[in-house]
Amino acid sequence: MKGIIKHCGIALQSKDASFVACTDKAERDRVRDSFLKKKLALTASEADLDKAVMEVCQKMHADRDKSRVAFYYLLAEKYGKLAAF
C-alpha cells in the first residue's frame, strides 16, 4: 500500500485528485493509460483494461468517494502486480 501511495504522490495532496471519478470517462481512461499501461506495464487490449477499471468501479460502487489508493490497489491485486510496489 505504501508503494501505491508513493506512486500517487502529489495527487494525494489535492482532495479532488485523491479520488477516482468512475462516472468520468476521461478519468477512467487516465487510470487505464497512466496506471495500468504505464505503471503496471500491462499489454492487454484497451477494452479488457477498461473492463477491469469498470469492475473495480462496480466493486466500490457503495463508496461515494472512491479512494485512488484503494482503487489502484484493487487493480494491482487483480493483475497480480502488488509486488511492483
Side-chain angles (χ1 to χ4, degrees):
M1 193 71 102
K2 287 182 182 179
I4 293 174
I5 292 170
K6 184 177 178 183
H7 168 73
C8 291
I10 199 159
L12 296 178
Q13 293 179 4
S14 163
K15 184 174 187 223
D16 187 50
S18 67
F19 299 109
V20 173
C22 285
T23 57
D24 183 355
K25 183 179 180 338
E27 172 74 3
R28 294 189 314 266
D29 290 348
R30 190 169 21 261
V31 170
R32 179 196 64 217
D33 296 338
S34 297
F35 185 69
L36 295 177
K37 287 183 172 182
K38 288 182 183 173
K39 179 63 181 173
L40 298 185
L42 298 177
T43 58
S45 71
E46 285 193 356
D48 287 341
L49 297 176
D50 288 342
K51 182 179 174 189
V53 170
M54 289 308 294
E55 286 173 3
V56 174
C57 285
Q58 184 61 32
K59 186 179 278 190
M60 295 181 73
H61 79 279
D63 299 324
R64 182 181 177 279
D65 295 325
K66 293 160 185 62
S67 162
R68 186 168 303 276
V69 172
F71 200 93
Y72 285 6
Y73 179 90
L74 290 172
L75 285 169
E77 180 181 55
K78 174 179 177 55
Y79 287 103
K81 297 281 191 165
L82 288 175
F85 299 98

